[in-house]
């Protein structure tokens, strides 16, 4: 009812959601990157571990990276047990996040359907669905008729006929900006300094230990520093003398003009190569692949735009008369196995949380939670052990794409 | 004013509408009349229709506000049924006979809008409202209700009956905008011999010149940037875009035109068009909007076909992709509103729009209009209204300093002028009935006096924002300019990075700055001052955002949704920057601006896809004898791009029955399988053996002529990539086969290594998959059948053993015959030139049918290979499988020389004993193995221990059989595992060593 | 859409080409340790700015060639043949 | 847009096609000698008369020779190049008429302006999502399209459909 009271008072009583802090000369922990992962890490450091002398340094405005431009899909139906355990932890945190932060993140668990277009794909889909079930995460196979009931505008008999699919009912979308703001607000309330327009330009490293960071707003001392800068991870890691197995690419998304509700679930097709959902404002939110080459442009190209729209129309021919309203892209940090890179680095006190690529929005709560644990204890959280940097040296990839044919 | 004909607000004369061609149309079921040449907006205005739509959030009544793409009020659903178009902008809809439109967002009707109650509660619906509410118990409880209120138009339920196209264009110069600046630039470039494409989004050329006529002499409307013509010329020549010399006289024409002769616009336009038409390489596209500016000067256009009504038009819309060496933006400017309380009422319109309706369509936007402006342009409206006999109640100008010319004009028109005045509020109900004007204090921060004017319409002009969206898309930086209150290029001209990279020039109105006075009323409820009309964002929303620390323009945008509606902030971006800057106490130029992205106007998805929909969404490949298969009962399925027979059904048969019949025929007699997609690659050259040996885990150094070796190819990561055979024809010639799905991938893979890694090896790679049809004749009678065909090849088992290959002639054509087997039966895999496939197929069937030969589909083939336990790459393996997982570990490890992927096999993970390994499964009769089921061993601590990759019922034994990837599977042979499907224990299976049939291989070696 | 000047065919649309990642990556011998091999397999240059990369004109001449391209602006700084050394770039 | 004009789309049968490849780098002396001896052009995109047919230079080490009943096997095959009969690997279509360039430009991003894509020029490109080889063979806007055999029907249907609006289609 606070809302009603404020409305009557012309909303004059609302306070800043978070403090715009001036950077101090030193912190216990410096978090680089004011995206979802960075802010959530700061929040959980303060909340779960009592570490409140924390700064989040953001080169632009918080949420201006991928966290504020993604297609909001949250799911935990991953093939590998390591992944589905991690992402399900995340989804469970999401399920209570609105209440915890007292900020409506508009989580809408409307369900996600993954389509299969051939018998072979159906087999792989079943293997995948069963893998999720074996890990005690919800997932069920669907017949074409069930799919049609759940997503009326879908065309079952197109060039790529729909022969079945699976659904995770707990999957859904939530409001990306709200997640960022909600964490920022809660972290700020616990004492975390959120510093915008503060770019990290170098590290102070001595004897293999991190001592602090250099920024566009001066040097800041800290014995523990975590990088959660998504597409800029290679760039930043290079400043610390590290080479990461990451490629930065422009992942695209686009929206149509808003229309009345027509699609109540999220639909993904790997072989047609598109996914779509409808936002609460009514736009059809469409996503697909990344432009094929390294890019920091944060701007999408034309071929991918056309390919995505052709693909969406293959799935939903009746969307043909809708109009594209906006097309954009984010700088995504892709690893060779499309799984994240989390945990320790060869430099003591320097942690990484990156490699989220095309799918790290859904991971924000768990990413923050497990990184906070790792930073506070110095030991990788068990859920992220499989995602350590040294897995490549061992050949121990966690490759969803290779195993299930679909990454993301 | 005429009270007859097409509408009460239609003037008796003037305009370019065709009064001899009346048109009737409908809005919300009510009939109206307009004229040919009208738009839906002009015709509705002529009929005095004020409320046309409802706003997005508060469902406020809205009417025509603009006369172009920036329209925010008159949005309608057009047509019915499958041809429905959501959210059409009425000013862009050319009127046609019988046109039907419906208001949008009204729920349940525009005039009684239930959603309107939302407006009463609008203080509640402030920005960020959702984030603060609806948290308990969960958002999902409230969502359906909220969603129903959202959205504007409706998606037609059926498939789109219209046709769309995409096309490609190349030119030296692309000129965007067919106004005066654009046409003159086209003339310049065309005369210089350049290939020119000029696009204009409206159906007529001329832009403002078409209707604005000339400004009264001596009245400088726009402060134009320097010599655009000479800049353009220099650039074109320097970059070779203009192959010929520029005529010396052309040098100054564009600039000179500004002060030179004054001729009526129509005459000027006709003359210019004639000159343009005379040029050979100038292409002009009307109804065509440049929508996106992408890397390397690639621009997209959306062309709309004229609304002919005749079904003859080949496409409703066309999406063009233009590769231009230079781009000239002659896009003009978009008029901006004034910000005051209740500035969103129907009857309030941009002054330039009001003038266009008047001059082009002979429609008065009101009968007792008031004008409010902060710049000189709106005076022309006053003049035109007076000339048309409409009484103007007054002009409020927010400026105090007004030029003598303007004052003289106002005096001549005898219209009352309120200097230093701004509208501060309006009253309805609904459409505007009264406007309060406030006299601004010296610093415009308050008002000193106010008075009311009762009027029926209000024209506003808050300045002009150059239409530079495309420039910004190309990476051009824009900066807020205080003089004109708009975004202009930060580094004008050729020095800007975008201009350099994308070779963009900006000319005409798009390059000019119109000085303005104040545009924001300092008084009145900020929650009633609309900034973004389409998304219902008010000054109060911005205030709230800033108060809550959403201070960056990007945060303001996302918190309030300002600029995120379908117009993408065309009339709100500039004012919002001024508002934010004022509230924050900073200079607007420091704020930056939100990113402008494609498209410039919303683009129909169908147009973007063009013809790449339906069957043309992805190409399809047909087998050489596709028609025969279809004619003979084949059930065709897609395998990648190929259409292939899975079974040949006989009347009354199920697919399963057909499969069993075919497999039985093969085991007892013979089957004929079309395997033409099988990958075939010739590798020639002195280094061919050495080259190929670098790709396979198998040692090719010992391969003998005319012998075939089965081999596995790896990715550098060690994962299995493909399998197939390598045959040595002679020392310089090798034949490689690949799986059907990987045929071109393998060829490309070989080429990549040849070109990039080993360019000195003397090899040539020739993919010949399509050259040769592949027909497999399999079964105990295969030899007998093949022997009936005329050939020079000795088929006896001793002369032509398993895993060998022969070249010769068959039925008089060249043939390559392999003895390899996927069914476990004696098999001749016969390759003949593809155009001979039908002859061969017919001959084999004729020879074999009496012996029991039947065509064989993929279902039965794969079942028989399962019985044999042969590996099917991509089915039994995935992107993580290494050779040892499928029993090829020893071979891979024992090869001495390096090959692709070899080193990776020694990475620790690939050496683990508990990896998944390929095994066979059997179970009691009645169990049905399901591919994709998971396995769990008795002692397991893992989530899963593997899964079934292939399954079926043995034709030979009728027992359920399967292949599976099982954790440490080879150690578990003889043990039992549990099967899980859909989370439920389904039964148990015994782990066995494949094959399930003919373990000695006697049949295929026969 | 990138327009890439194939050294054999001239300027063509991006869709005719296949991106092949960082160029000038030397393939180590099989003797190297796991870390070196993993570096070769998985780690590539990922600079903000000039990236030396290889492209295949898959729908054209079928040739691989090298491109120096700015990853921030997508500007193509240089096109050169497979096997040519990494060029010096004179930035403006 | 141009006035509707006739477009002819026809299959060409009974043509033979041979692929020639060499492993010599095109700047080699030996390569030069070979090109000269055989009448092959080394400029990608050019055609020349060779082996009794028309040789299309597709890449620096690659040609297609198109002609009537060619028998390259009979030619003395030099050490450094090879010839393979790929007649059956291709379907061949002919597009002819005043709107031919307009029709073809719907399918690919090549600049088909008559000053740019002239008689005697060829290009391998992406057309209607397919790899094809396009040759301008006649002054009167006559083009030949070579496409992998399995795609021939798809391409023909594509062209016929695309010709809607280009005038009378034969
Ligand atoms: C188009 C698109 C669609 C997507 N769809 C989904 C989806 O549906 N579901 C899903 O789960 N995921 C999706 N993702 C992925 C998801 O958005 C990201 O993985 C996730 O947001 C990453 O969060 P982050 O906090 O790691 O990075 P970001 O949100 O990108 O934050 C990194 C921050 O670091 C800052 N930074 C960079 N360098 C510096 C420096 N030197 N100093 C200080 N700060 C710096 C950046 O400015 C940025 O704000 C999508 C991504 C895109 C682009
Ligand atoms: N010599 C002179 O005196 C001189 C020279 C140039 C302009 N002018 C005057 O300046 C005024 C403005 O002329 P102008 O030509 O700069 O502007 P304009 O408004 O007349 O023309 C711009 C045109 O561009 C079109 N357009 C805008 N964006 C588009 C897009 N993305 N795609 C396709 N079309 C698009 C608009 O529909 C419009 O017709 C006129 O009054 C004109 O007479 C005078
Ligand atoms: C789920 C989702 C919905 C969006 N809906 C809209 C929209 O309705 N209108 C709009 O202009 N942009 C919309 N956007 C795009 C944003 O305006 C913006 O382009 C995106 O967040 C990237 O930021 P940037 O363009 O400022 O770089 C949406 C983005 C997302 C992720
Ligand atoms: Zn090329």
């Amino acid at each position: 009812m606070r809302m009603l009271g404020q409305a009557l008072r012309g909303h004059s009583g609302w306070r800043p959601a978070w403090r715009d802090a001036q950077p101090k000369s030193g912190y216990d922990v410096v978090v680089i990157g004011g995206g979802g992962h960075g802010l959530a890490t700061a929040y959980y450091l303060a909340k779960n571990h009592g570490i409140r002398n924390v700064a989040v340094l953001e080169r632009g405005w918080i949420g201006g990276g991928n966290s504020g431009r993604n297609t909001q899909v949250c799911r935990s139906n991953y093939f590998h047990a390591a992944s589905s355990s991690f992402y399900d932890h995340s989804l469970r945190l999401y399920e209570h996040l609105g209440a915890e932060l007292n900020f409506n993140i508009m989580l809408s668990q409307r369900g996600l359907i993954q389509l299969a277009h051939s018998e072979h794909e159906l087999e792989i889909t079943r293997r995948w669905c069963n893998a999720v079930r074996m890990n005690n995460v919800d997932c069920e196979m669907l017949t074409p008729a069930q799919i049609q009931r759940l997503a009326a505008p879908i065309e079952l008999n197109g060039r790529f006929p729909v022969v079945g699919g699976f659904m995770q009912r707990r999957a859904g979308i939530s409001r990306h900006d709200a997640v960022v703001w909600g964490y920022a607000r809660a972290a700020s309330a616990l004492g975390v300094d959120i510093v915008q327009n503060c770019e990290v330009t170098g590290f102070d490293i001595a004897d293999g230990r991190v001592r602090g960071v250099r920024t566009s707003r001066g040097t800041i001392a800290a014995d523990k520093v975590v990088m959660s800068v998504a597409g800029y991870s290679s760039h930043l890691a290079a400043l610390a003398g590290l080479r990461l197995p990451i490629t930065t690419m422009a992942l695209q998304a686009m929206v149509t003009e808003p229309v009345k509700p027509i699609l109540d679930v999220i639909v993904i097709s790997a072989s047609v190569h598109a996914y779509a959902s409808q936002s609460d404002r009514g736009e059809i939110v469409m996503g697909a692949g990344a432009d094929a080459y390294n890019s920091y442009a944060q701007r999408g190209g034309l071929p991918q735009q056309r390919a995505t729209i052709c693909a969406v129309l293959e799935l939903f021919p009746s969307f043909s008369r809708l109009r594209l309203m906006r097309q954009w892209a984010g700088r995504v940090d892709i690893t060779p196995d499309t799984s994240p890179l989390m945990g320790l680095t060869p430099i003591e006190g320097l942690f990484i949380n990156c490699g989220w690529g095309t799918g790290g929005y859904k991971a924000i709560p768990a990413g923050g939670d497990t990184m906070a644990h790792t930073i506070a204890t110095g030991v990788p959280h068990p859920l992220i052990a499989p995602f350590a940097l040294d897995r490549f040296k061992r050949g121990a990839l966690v490759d969803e794409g290779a195993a299930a044919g679909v990454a993301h | 004013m005429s009270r007859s004909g097409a509408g009460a607000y239609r003037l008796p004369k003037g305009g370019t509408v065709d009064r001899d061609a009346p048109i009737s149309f409908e809005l919300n079921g009510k009939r109206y009349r307009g004229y040919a040449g009208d738009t839906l907006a002009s015709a509705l205005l002529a009929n005095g229709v004020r409320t046309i739509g409802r706003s997005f959030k508060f469902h406020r009544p809205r009417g025509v506000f603009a006369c172009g793409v920036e329209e925010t009020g008159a949005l309608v659903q057009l047509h019915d049924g499958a041809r429905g178009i959501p959210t059409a902008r009425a000013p862009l809809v050319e009127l046609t006979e019988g046109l039907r439109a419906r208001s949008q967002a009204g729920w349940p009707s525009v005039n009684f809008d239930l959603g309107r109650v939302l407006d009463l509660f609008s203080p509640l619906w402030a920005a960020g409202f959702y984030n603060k509410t609806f948290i308990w118990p969960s958002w999902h409880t409230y969502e359906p209700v909220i969603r129903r209120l959202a959205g504007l138009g409706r998606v037609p339920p059926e498939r789109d009956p219209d046709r769309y196209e995409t096309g490609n264009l190349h030119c030296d110069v692309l000129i965007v905008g067919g106004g005066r600046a654009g046409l003159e630039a086209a003339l310049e470039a065309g005369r210089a011999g350049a290939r020119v494409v000029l696009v204009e989004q409206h159906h007529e050329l001329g832009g403002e010149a078409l209707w604005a006529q000339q400004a009264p002499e001596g009245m400088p409307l726009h402060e134009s940037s320097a010599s655009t013509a000479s800049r353009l010329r220099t650039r074109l020549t320097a970059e070779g875009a203009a192959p010929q010399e520029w005529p010396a006289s052309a040098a100054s024409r564009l600039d000179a035109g500004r002060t030179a002769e004054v001729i009526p616009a129509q005459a000027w336009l006709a003359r210019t068009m004639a000159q343009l038409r005379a040029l050979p390489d100038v292409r002009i596209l009307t109804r065509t909007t440049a929508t996106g500016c992408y890397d390397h000067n690639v621009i997209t256009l959306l062309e709309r076909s004229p609304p002919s009504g005749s079904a003859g038009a080949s496409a409703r819309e066309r999406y063009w992709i233009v590769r231009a060496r230079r781009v000239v933006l002659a896009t003009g400017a978009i008029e901006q509103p004034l910000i005051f309380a209740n500035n969103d009422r129907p009857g309030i319109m941009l002054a330039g729009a009001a003038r266009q309706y008047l001059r082009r369509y002979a429609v008065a936007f009101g009968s007792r209009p008031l004008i409010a402006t902060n710049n000189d342009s709106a005076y022309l409206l006053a003049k035109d209204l007076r000339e048309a006999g409409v009484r103007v109640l007054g002009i409020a100008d927010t400026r105090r300093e007004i030029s003598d010319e303007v004052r003289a004009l106002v005096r001549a028109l005898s219209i009352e002028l309120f200097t230093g005045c701004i509208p501060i509020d309006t009253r309805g109900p609904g459409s505007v009935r009264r406007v309060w004007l406030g006299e601004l204090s010296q610093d415009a921060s308050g008002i000193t006096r106010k008075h009311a004017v009762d009027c029926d319409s209000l024209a506003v002009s808050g300045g002009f924002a150059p239409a530079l969206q495309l420039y910004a898309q190309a990476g051009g930086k824009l900066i807020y300019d205080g003089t004109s209150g708009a975004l202009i290029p930060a580094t004008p001209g050729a020095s800007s990075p975008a201009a350099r990279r994308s070779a963009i020039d900006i000319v005409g109105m798009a390059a000019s700055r119109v000085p303005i006075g104040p545009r924001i009323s300092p008084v009145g409820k900020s929650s009633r001052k609309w900034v973004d009309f389409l998304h219902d964002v008010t000054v109060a929303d911005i205030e709230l955002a800033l108060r809550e620390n959403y201070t960056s323009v990007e945060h303001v945008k996302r918190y309030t949704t300002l600029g995120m509606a379908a117009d993408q902030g065309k009339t709100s971006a500039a004012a919002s920057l001024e508002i934010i800057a004022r509230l924050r106490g900073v200079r607007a130029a420091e704020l930056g601006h939100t990113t402008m992205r494609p498209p410039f106007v919303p683009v129909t998805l169908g147009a973007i896809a063009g013809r790449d929909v339906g069957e043309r969404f992805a190409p399809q490949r047909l087998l050489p004898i596709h028609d025969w298969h279809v004619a003979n009962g084949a059930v065709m399925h897609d395998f990648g791009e190929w259409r292939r027979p899975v079974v040949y059904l006989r009347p009354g048969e199920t697919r399963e029955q057909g499969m069993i019949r075919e497999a039985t025929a093969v085991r007892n007699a013979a089957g004929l399988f079309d395997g033409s997609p099988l990958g075939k690659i010739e590798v020639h050259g002195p280094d061919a053996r050495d080259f190929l040996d670098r790709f396979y885990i198998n040692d090719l150094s010992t391969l003998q002529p005319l012998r075939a070796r089965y081999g596995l190819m790896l990715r550098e990561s060690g994962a299995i990539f493909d399998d197939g055979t390598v045959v040595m024809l002679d020392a310089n010639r090798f034949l490689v086969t690949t799986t059907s799905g990987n045929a071109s991938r393998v060829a490309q893979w070989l080429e990549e290594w040849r070109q990039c890694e080993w360019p000195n090896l003397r090899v040539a790679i020739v993919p010949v998959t399509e050259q040769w049809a592949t027909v497999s004749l399999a079964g105990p009678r295969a030899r007998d059948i093949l022997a009936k065909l005329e050939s020079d090849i000795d088929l006896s088992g001793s002369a032509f053993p398993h895993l060998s290959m022969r070249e010769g002639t068959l039925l008089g054509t060249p043939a390559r015959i392999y003895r390899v087997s996927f069914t476990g039966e004696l098999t001749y895999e016969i390759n003949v030139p593809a155009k001979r496939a039908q002859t061969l197929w017919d001959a084999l069937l004729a020879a074999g049918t009496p012996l029991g030969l039947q065509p064989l589909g993929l279902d039965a083939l794969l079942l028989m290979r399962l019985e044999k336990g042969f590996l099917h790459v991509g089915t039994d393996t995935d992107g993580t499988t290494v050779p040892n997982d499928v029993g090829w570990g020893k071979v891979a490890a024992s090869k001495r020389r390096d090959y692709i992927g070899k080193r990776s096999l020694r990475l620790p993970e690939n050496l683990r004993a508990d990896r998944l390994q390929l095994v066979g499964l059997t179970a009691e009769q009645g169990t049905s193995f399901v591919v994709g089921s998971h396995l769990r061993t008795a002692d397991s601590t893992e989530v899963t221990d593997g899964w079934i990759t292939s399954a079926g019922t043995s034709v030979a034994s009728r027992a359920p059989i399967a292949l599976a990837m099982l954790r440490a599977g080879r150690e578990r042979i003889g043990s039992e595992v549990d099967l899980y499907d859909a989370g439920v224990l389904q039964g148990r299976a015994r782990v066995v060593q494949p094959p399930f049939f003919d373990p000695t291989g006697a049949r295929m070696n026969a | 859409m990138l327009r890439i000047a194939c050294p054999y065919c001239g300027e063509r649309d991006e869709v005719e080409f296949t991106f092949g990642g960082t160029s000038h990556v030397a393939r180590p011998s099989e003797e190297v340790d796991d870390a070196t091999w993993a570096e070769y397999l998985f780690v590539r240059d990922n600079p903000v700015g000039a990236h030396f990369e290889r492209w295949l004109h898959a729908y054209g001449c079928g040739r691989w060639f090298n491109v120096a391209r700015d990853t921030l602006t997508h500007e193509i700084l240089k096109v050169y043949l497979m096997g040519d050394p990494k060029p010096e770039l004179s930035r403006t | 847009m141009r006035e509707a004009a006739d477009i002819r789309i026809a299959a060409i049968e009974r043509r033979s096609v041979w692929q020639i490849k060499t492993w010599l780098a095109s700047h080699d002396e030996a390569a030069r000698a070979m090109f000269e001896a055989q009448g092959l052009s080394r400029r990608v995109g050019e055609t020349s008369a060779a082996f009794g047919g028309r040789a299309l230079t597709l890449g620096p080490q690659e040609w297609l020779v198109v002609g009537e009943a060619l028998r390259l096997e009979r030619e003395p095959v030099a050490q450094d190049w090879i010839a393979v009969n790929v007649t059956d690997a291709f379907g061949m279509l002919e597009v002819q008429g005043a709107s031919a360039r307009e029709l073809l430009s719907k399918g690919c991003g090549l600049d088909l302006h008559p000053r740019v894509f002239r008689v005697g020029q060829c290009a391998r490109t992406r057309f209607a999502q397919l790899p094809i080889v396009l040759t301008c063979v006649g002054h009167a806007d006559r083009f030949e399209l070579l496409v992998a055999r399995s795609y021939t029907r798809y391409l023909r249907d594509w062209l016929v459909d695309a010709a809607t609006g280009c005038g009378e289609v034969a």
Side-chain angles (χ1 to χ4, degrees), chain B residues 978-997:
Chain B
D978 290 337
L979 301 172
Y980 287 86
D981 188 26
V984 180
L985 179 66
Q986 302 284 350
R988 322 203 80 192
R990 174 164 298 276
V991 183
V992 299
Q993 175 73 52
F996 304 96
F997 180 72

Side-chain angles (χ1 to χ4, degrees), chain A residues 32-37 57-59 65-67 69-73 198-200 228-230 232 236 251-253 275 330 332 356-362:
Chain A
I32 313 173
H37 281 274
L57 309 182
E58 166 55 51
R59 75 201 278 263
N66 296 333
S67 299
R69 61 183 66 243
N70 66 77
T71 49
Q72 320 187 124
V73 176
C198 178
E199 178 172 358
V200 172
S228 39
V229 295
Y232 274 106
L236 209 61
L251 181 70
Q252 291 209 41
Y275 61 96
V332 292
W356 292 108
T358 61
Y361 172 67
K362 61 180 82 70

Side-chain angles (χ1 to χ4, degrees), chain A residues 3-4 7-8 10-20 61-63 68-69 79-81 98-99 102-110 118-120 123-124 126-128 130-131 133-135 155 158-161 173 175 177-178 181 196 256-264 272 278-282 286 293 298-302 305-307 309-314 317-329 392-397 399 402-403, chain B residues 56 82-89 123-124 126 129-136 139-140 143 147-162 164 166 294-295 298 300 316 319 321 473 535 544 547-552 554-555 557-559 561 564-566 568 595 597-599 602-606 608-610 612-615 617-620 637-638 655 874-875 878-880 907-909 930-934 936 943-944 947 949 980-983:
Chain A
M3 191 70 209
L4 190 60
L8 298 176
H11 296 271
S12 55
W14 291 107
R15 283 280 150 72
W18 72 88
R19 286 174 299 113
D20 250 336
W61 39 283
I62 59 168
R69 61 183 66 243
F79 182 79
H80 288 291
N102 191 22
F103 204 85
N104 186 4
I105 59 158
M106 296 168 82
L107 177 68
S108 161
Q109 291 179 290
R110 50 180 71 182
S118 68
E119 288 170 3
H120 178 64
E123 291 175 357
I124 305 266
R126 187 181 301 277
R127 177 206 292 182
W128 178 2
N130 277 327
R133 287 293 286 261
M134 295 299 280
N135 205 21
E155 170 63 64
R159 167 73 180 80
F160 285 73
I173 54 177
R175 183 64 207 284
D177 294 322
W181 299 336
Q196 299 189 99
T256 66
E257 291 180 296
V259 283
K260 292 286 176 199
I262 178 93
L263 183 62
D264 294 331
V272 168
Q278 187 172 21
S279 84
D280 287 328
R281 268 200 304 269
M286 304 175 281
Y293 37 85
Q298 211 176 57
R299 163 162 61 82
L302 188 57
Q305 177 219 56
R306 281 207 68 227
I309 285 165
C310 290
V312 167
L313 294 189
E314 165 66 12
S318 65
F319 290 1
S320 169
R321 297 172 90 85
L322 289 186
R323 281 180 296 246
L324 178 72
M325 180 163 76
R326 191 170 171 101
Q327 166 195 16
W328 69 94
F392 294 100
K393 197 165 68 191
R394 290 182 280 115
L397 276 57
D399 196 334
Chain B
F56 193 75
R83 288 212 147 79
I85 298 173
T87 323
R89 285 123 182 98
L124 264 171
F129 165 69
Y130 294 98
N131 299 140
K132 295 168 189 157
T133 48
F134 299 134
I135 303 175
W136 303 100
W139 166 239
H140 210 46
E143 194 185 16
R147 280 192 70 190
R148 200 125 35 95
L149 292 171
L152 280 172
R154 279 175 205 287
V155 180
E158 295 116 272
R159 193 178 267 275
D160 192 339
D162 280 323
Y164 302 88
T166 53
Y294 295 88
D295 287 325
V298 173
T300 51
R316 178 164 91 94
Y319 194 56
I321 298 170
Q473 286 176 23
H535 253 174
L544 179 62
R547 207 174 302 133
E548 294 197 42
N549 203 30
Y550 298 97
T551 48
S552 137
E554 298 287 4
H555 281 150
K557 159 181 161 172
R558 285 158 176 81
Y559 194 70
T561 75
M564 293 180 79
Q568 293 282 291
T595 311
R597 293 188 177 277
V603 183
T604 313
L605 300 188
I608 295 175
D612 294 346
V613 291
E615 282 307 306
F617 170 61
Q620 219 162 44
H637 277 206
D638 291 329
R655 194 168 151 192
T875 296
D878 60 35
T880 67
L907 291 175
E909 183 68 16
V930 177
V931 176
S933 301
H934 277 240
R936 202 68 160 281
V943 167
T944 173
W947 45 81
T949 58
Y980 287 86
D981 188 26

Side-chain angles (χ1 to χ4, degrees), chain B residues 71-91:
Chain B
E71 178 60 41
T72 55
L75 309 180
V76 295
Q77 178 94 15
L78 221 52
H79 312 304
D80 304 314
R83 288 212 147 79
I85 298 173
T87 323
R89 285 123 182 98

Side-chain angles (χ1 to χ4, degrees), chain B residues 478-597:
Chain B
L478 301 180
I479 191 166
Y480 185 87
D481 167 54
T483 308
S484 60
L487 291 163
I488 63 166
T491 39
S495 58
S496 86
R500 262 208 323 272
R501 221 175 27 252
S502 307
I504 293 185
D505 288 287
I506 305 168
V507 299
M509 182 71 180
S512 56
R513 298 150 74 203
V514 179
I516 60 165
R519 67 169 144 200
I520 300 163
S521 155
V523 297
K525 266 172 125 172
S526 54
S527 63
R528 301 276 94 176
K529 291 184 205 164
W530 269 262
V531 183
D532 181 328
F533 294 79
L534 202 41
H535 253 174
D536 269 344
V537 180
T538 65
V539 173
D541 293 316
I542 299 176
E543 287 168 353
L544 179 62
L546 298 180
R547 207 174 302 133
E548 294 197 42
N549 203 30
Y550 298 97
T551 48
S552 137
V553 288
E554 298 287 4
H555 281 150
V556 173
K557 159 181 161 172
R558 285 158 176 81
Y559 194 70
T560 64
T561 75
L562 185 124
M564 293 180 79
D567 69 332
Q568 293 282 291
K570 290 188 179 67
T571 54
S572 62
S576 68
L577 288 174
E578 188 180 332
I579 293 166
I580 295 169
R582 282 225 212 140
L583 290 167
R584 285 185 52 192
V586 298
R587 279 179 351 111
E590 290 165 25
L591 295 174
H593 59 89
T594 58
T595 311
M596 295 181 190
R597 293 188 177 277

